[in-house]
Amino acid sequence: MAGNWKMFKTPAETQSFFEKFRPLVEKSEHCEIVICPPFTNLAAAVGAVRGSNIRVGAQNIAWAKEGAFTGEISGPMLNAVGATHAIIGHSERRQYFGETDETVLKRTQAALEFGLTPIVCVGELLAERESGKTEAVLTAQFQKGIAGLTEQQFAKIIIAYEPVWAIGTGKTATPEIAADAHKVIRAQVRQKFGADAAGAVRILYGGSVKPDNVKSLMAQPDIDGSLVGGASLEAASFASIVNF
Ligand code: PEP
């Protein structure tokens, strides 16, 4: 269960979130729990979760180790601050910051090189779904991005299916719509990396997951977890998602 805080919270607000959140999930052993705050809160978050079952991830990662890349943060920098995961290819990065399947692949390879677990996002726009292109879009994103990994690299990633029309809109995909998309992605994995990889890979659903809809989504066998934006900002709400 991963929380994506997007561009919300200061270090002091991060501290106070974890004071409330930690006790609510300290007995939650059924899943991994990851919070991805803005870069400026990573140190505060890592300090606040020390000794707990909560991990901290970044919302992006540079494809280079260091260099003239203004505004980017590299794998070694994330290692040094204690992050363990990185969201890559979030639809907001694809839509507003020019992220492409090619750069998603490069960032994923960099995360793996530096021992971080990539949470690689794919998902279709509303117009693509309405024109019957969902499967084609997911397939293309997979083929141009994730399929460029080796089998060994692929074994270490987490995929997030995030239909863009469901992110931050309050319009959750029905469990059936989400499960169908997860099946498409898993079929791509099977074709490229084999049946064992398809069985083992964790595919998260993201898009307006809330305490009152998480159970029906998680009841779908192909949905292995959630990537949660808005509802991860408040400790009680994200804890009830984690403890669905
Ligand atoms: C997200 O940011 O990845 C997300 C799914 O947001 P929300 O839960 O707010 O739709």
Side-chain angles (χ1 to χ4, degrees), residues 209-211 228-239 241:
V209 174
K210 307 284 176 211
V228 184
S232 72
L233 288 166
E234 206 262 310
S237 141
F238 191 48
I241 290 175

Side-chain angles (χ1 to χ4, degrees), residues 5 9-20 40-41 44-45:
W5 282 1
K9 293 195 193 292
T10 61
E13 288 165 344
T14 300
Q15 190 70 38
S16 100
F17 172 91
F18 283 111
E19 275 160 24
K20 294 185 205 117
T40 45
N41 299 350

Side-chain angles (χ1 to χ4, degrees), residues 96-146:
Y96 309 136
F97 301 100
E99 196 75 68
T100 65
D101 295 319
E102 290 74 19
T103 55
V104 166
L105 175 60
K106 285 169 72 175
R107 292 183 196 278
T108 305
Q109 288 164 330
L112 292 166
E113 184 184 342
F114 297 109
L116 293 146
T117 302
I119 302 173
V120 183
C121 304
V122 295
E124 80 287 358
L125 301 167
L126 182 61
E128 291 166 338
R129 172 158 289 273
E130 286 179 346
S131 56
K133 294 195 186 120
T134 300
E135 186 164 345
V137 169
L138 295 177
T139 302
Q141 288 176 341
F142 183 89
Q143 291 298 335
K144 288 194 239 156
I146 296 169

Side-chain angles (χ1 to χ4, degrees), residues 5-229:
W5 282 1
K6 312 188 191 222
M7 198 172 70
F8 289 100
K9 293 195 193 292
T10 61
E13 288 165 344
T14 300
Q15 190 70 38
S16 100
F17 172 91
F18 283 111
E19 275 160 24
K20 294 185 205 117
F21 184 64
R22 255 184 93 146
L24 298 176
V25 298
E26 67 189 351
K27 296 202 175 72
S28 312
E29 285 170 356
H30 60 285
C31 66
E32 271 188 71
I33 307 167
V34 185
I35 296 273
C36 302
F39 290 122
T40 45
N41 299 350
L42 286 173
V46 168
V49 305
R50 194 156 288 129
S52 80
N53 52 343
I54 307 163
R55 300 286 166 264
V56 173
Q59 296 174 18
N60 195 7
I61 177 172
W63 56 73
K65 183 179 170 196
E66 60 184 6
F69 296 100
T70 302
E72 291 282 302
I73 303 285
S74 72
M77 293 169 186
L78 296 176
N79 286 335
V81 81
T84 53
H85 292 65
I87 297 174
I88 298 173
H90 189 278
S91 65
E92 287 151 18
R93 300 236 41 103
R94 291 177 186 261
Q95 279 184 289
Y96 309 136
F97 301 100
E99 196 75 68
T100 65
D101 295 319
E102 290 74 19
T103 55
V104 166
L105 175 60
K106 285 169 72 175
R107 292 183 196 278
T108 305
Q109 288 164 330
L112 292 166
E113 184 184 342
F114 297 109
L116 293 146
T117 302
I119 302 173
V120 183
C121 304
V122 295
E124 80 287 358
L125 301 167
L126 182 61
E128 291 166 338
R129 172 158 289 273
E130 286 179 346
S131 56
K133 294 195 186 120
T134 300
E135 186 164 345
V137 169
L138 295 177
T139 302
Q141 288 176 341
F142 183 89
Q143 291 298 335
K144 288 194 239 156
I146 296 169
L149 298 173
T150 65
E151 267 176 50
Q152 288 77 3
Q153 288 173 325
F154 180 78
K156 296 188 182 137
I157 77 164
I158 297 170
I159 299 176
Y161 167 61
E162 296 213 310
V164 180
W165 47 271
I167 297 179
T169 58
K171 281 189 207 161
T172 320
T174 63
E176 294 71 27
I177 288 179
D180 279 352
H182 282 225
K183 283 199 183 81
V184 168
I185 297 164
R186 222 177 274 280
Q188 287 296 315
V189 175
R190 192 172 303 110
Q191 211 175 60
K192 172 71 191 170
F193 296 106
D196 288 352
V201 67
R202 286 172 293 170
I203 308 181
L204 314 183
Y205 166 78
S208 299
V209 174
K210 307 284 176 211
D212 62 2
N213 61 27
V214 62
K215 218 182 170 91
S216 58
L217 288 158
M218 292 302 298
Q220 297 290 330
D222 266 308
I223 300 182
D224 303 312
S226 303
L227 178 54
V228 184

